[in-house]
Amino acid sequence: MTRRRLAVVALLGAVAAGCGTVFNLPANRPITAESPRLDAADSAVISGDVAVALSFSGGGTRAAAFAHGVLTALDRMPGKGGRSNLDRVVFVSGVSGGSVAAAYFGLKGRDALTDFREKFLERNAEESLDTQISVANLVRGLEGGVNDSTRLPAWLDRQLFHGATIADLYRPNRPLVWINASDLYNRTPFHFSPSTFTALCSDITTYPLSHAVAASAAVPVAFAPIVLESFPNSCEAPLPSWVNRVLKSSTAGSQVRAFAQALTRYRDPGQLRYVKLADGGLVDNFGLTGIVITREIVDKPYAPLTPERAVKLRRVLFVVVNAGRGPSGDWGRKLEGPSGRELFGAVTDTAIDAAASSSFDAFRLTMSQWEAATRKWRCGLSAAEAQKLGAGPGWRCADVTFDIAEIAFSQLGDRAAILNAVPTRLKLERDEVDLVVNAGIEATMAHPVVRQSLGVR
């Protein structure tokens, strides 16, 4: 071994000896008898016969900018009675960079369009982070993560959320918002939802929104995992009955079974006391798995819709906003390569894309089955039952459609390569922001399924 290598090894050893494992302290609290209960049915309101749901993929500020473009397009497209199509949005799921846009829209509604660019897209979120390539950071990365929870959550709270908690997403007349992270120990999606926090016996109403978004965007090594504590001794309520039903079933899907096992471990301090969360894109970069799981555990053909909503709706439009990166680099055209950096990126993208593709396939099947089950249930109602649930004159039981529209760079022809070259970091140049936002606007306004579902000619 050369002297230079010996010196590097010695330096790494010295730095490592002076450092312990990097970890974050939990920011969640135990549930109490006084803790408010959140109910999604009390917040999102479906008015009219069209409901829109959105999922925003991961991909740093680029993903947030693309999502912002989609929201802008929906607002600009003519809505029924002169209303904004954003008023039709009842559900938003966000992952990583997409979770920033999802959370801010959930918090502010249409007003989010006025200042999201100024407060986030054109700001450098990395100014709060340690991004230097150094021996010390290498060791911190190996010890758990370069940046702890004193950095990005504080920056997000200062710039966007101003002390907001998850409870602020459940105000009346707001869409239901899911922030998605990855539970590293259980290898499952983690949804910042009341049901998940109830399994932890934790009070979700006090949990900072900035921490949830930071967990969704916590790329391993660059960030130490965000930590939640389980408090099994602070609540007496049992886990939902579906958990045991799924665990005993021989036909339950692998995703819902893994999720049920995770909830069981949350209540068993012998197996798990702390939940370690990282970037949601590790298990599902589209944030769709929660829909698949929800549909598998419900016991009504139309659920999670209420019977009244299932009768009144004619169309459900689910827009999947995909800011993922396509193949890049020239090493596929020559014998040598990829380089170490390119190889690391390709391996990461391969794993994320494979998981996202699987979740999308499962989601498509779920939506098709949900549509068929809802239509069958509607057509089994008597005229009196349908009227009692809100059916109006001329109502037809079979007139209900669940549509899926994927908004992606690939729709934009030759510009897709330029968009793919925009980095997936937490800072962009102003011209890059303009490029991606405008791409989201154009791709949405031109999408035939979006136009048809919203009645735009």
Side-chain angles (χ1 to χ4, degrees):
M1 184 177 287
T2 66
R3 287 186 176 181
R4 179 174 294 180
R5 288 187 178 181
L6 282 171
V8 170
V9 170
L11 180 59
L12 286 173
V15 175
C19 297
T21 301
V22 179
F23 62 90
N24 291 314
L25 296 176
N28 62 314
R29 303 174 187 173
I31 200 167
T32 67
E34 291 74 34
S35 297
R37 299 295 187 265
L38 299 181
D39 187 350
D42 295 335
S43 55
V45 175
I46 298 178
S47 59
D49 57 4
V50 177
V52 178
L54 307 169
S55 74
F56 297 153
S57 80
T61 299
R62 183 178 82 173
F66 200 47
H68 182 68
V70 172
L71 290 171
T72 302
L74 290 174
D75 186 50
R76 291 181 182 177
M77 297 172 79
K80 189 175 181 179
R83 297 178 61 192
S84 169
N85 284 304
L86 293 183
D87 295 335
R88 291 171 158 176
V89 176
V90 297
F91 174 78
V92 187
S93 180
V95 177
S96 196
S99 74
V100 184
Y104 198 60
F105 176 67
L107 196 63
K108 297 194 65 176
R110 188 166 180 254
D111 290 343
L113 298 182
T114 62
D115 60 4
F116 186 61
R117 178 191 290 261
E118 173 191 349
K119 288 190 172 184
F120 181 75
L121 297 180
E122 294 180 354
R123 295 298 301 268
N124 176 14
E126 293 183 8
E127 68 185 4
S128 67
L129 307 177
D130 192 340
T131 59
Q132 286 187 325
I133 299 176
S134 65
V135 173
N137 279 349
L138 173 62
V139 173
R140 284 180 64 84
L142 294 174
E143 291 289 342
V146 176
N147 294 280
D148 61 28
S149 62
T150 63
R151 295 174 178 265
L152 185 58
W155 188 92
L156 289 169
D157 195 63
R158 187 168 60 251
Q159 288 297 125
L160 293 173
F161 302 127
H162 308 295
T165 68
I166 297 293
D168 291 304
L169 296 178
Y170 284 77
R171 291 178 295 173
N173 301 318
R174 287 282 191 264
L176 173 63
V177 176
W178 276 0
I179 306 301
N180 301 275
S182 297
D183 178 340
L184 294 176
Y185 185 82
N186 290 297
R187 305 168 194 173
T188 58
F190 184 94
H191 314 294
F192 283 87
S193 66
S195 58
T196 309
F197 267 64
T198 298
L200 290 167
C201 296
S202 181
D203 183 0
I204 194 173
T205 65
T206 61
Y207 194 75
L209 185 54
S210 59
H211 280 249
V213 173
S216 183
V219 177
V221 181
F223 297 91
I226 297 293
V227 179
L228 298 175
E229 185 173 358
S230 180
F231 304 100
N233 296 324
S234 69
C235 65
E236 299 178 357
L239 290 171
S241 59
W242 67 261
V243 173
N244 282 331
R245 185 176 75 246
V246 165
L247 294 178
K248 292 178 180 179
S249 172
S250 60
T251 59
S254 58
Q255 292 176 327
V256 70
R257 181 179 295 278
F259 189 63
Q261 290 171 336
L263 298 189
T264 302
R265 293 188 185 107
Y266 294 166
R267 289 291 182 92
D268 184 356
Q271 293 192 67
L272 187 147
R273 284 191 60 197
Y274 299 100
V275 181
K276 313 295 176 66
L277 302 177
D279 192 300
L282 297 175
V283 293
D284 178 9
N285 201 40
F286 292 150
L288 300 173
T289 304
I291 303 294
V292 176
I293 291 173
T294 298
R295 275 295 300 165
E296 192 156 353
I297 65 177
V298 296
D299 57 0
K300 303 293 183 184
Y302 47 78
L305 293 171
T306 64
E308 292 81 7
R309 290 172 178 173
V311 164
K312 293 178 182 178
L313 282 173
R314 291 182 55 252
R315 196 174 292 270
V316 176
L317 170 64
F318 207 113
V319 181
V320 179
V321 182
N322 178 9
R325 179 168 51 197
S328 60
D330 62 354
W331 48 269
R333 299 191 298 270
K334 55 187 181 181
L335 179 62
E336 63 272 17
S339 66
R341 182 176 181 179
E342 290 171 327
L343 180 61
F344 179 79
V347 169
T348 302
D349 289 344
T350 298
I352 289 175
D353 288 355
S357 295
S358 295
S359 73
F360 204 168
D361 288 344
F363 173 72
R364 287 184 185 277
L365 178 60
T366 294
M367 289 289 282
S368 176
Q369 293 172 338
W370 189 5
E371 176 190 83
T374 301
R375 185 179 293 126
K376 181 179 179 181
W377 171 79
R378 283 165 50 121
C379 290
L381 296 173
S382 67
E385 289 171 329
Q387 289 176 2
K388 186 177 180 180
L389 291 171
W395 180 81
R396 293 183 297 148
C397 69
D399 186 17
V400 59
T401 304
F402 288 33
D403 294 324
I404 300 173
E406 182 183 6
I407 309 295
F409 294 161
S410 57
Q411 292 173 240
L412 299 168
D414 294 340
R415 278 178 293 164
I418 300 173
L419 290 161
N420 276 325
V422 176
T424 56
R425 299 181 59 173
L426 288 174
K427 67 172 183 177
L428 294 179
E429 299 298 327
R430 183 166 296 183
D431 61 335
E432 292 174 324
V433 172
D434 291 339
L435 175 70
V436 179
V437 170
N438 290 334
I441 294 172
E442 182 178 338
T444 304
M445 297 191 77
H447 200 291
V449 175
V450 173
R451 297 181 68 85
Q452 181 181 11
S453 295
L454 298 181
V456 179
R457 297 180 180 179

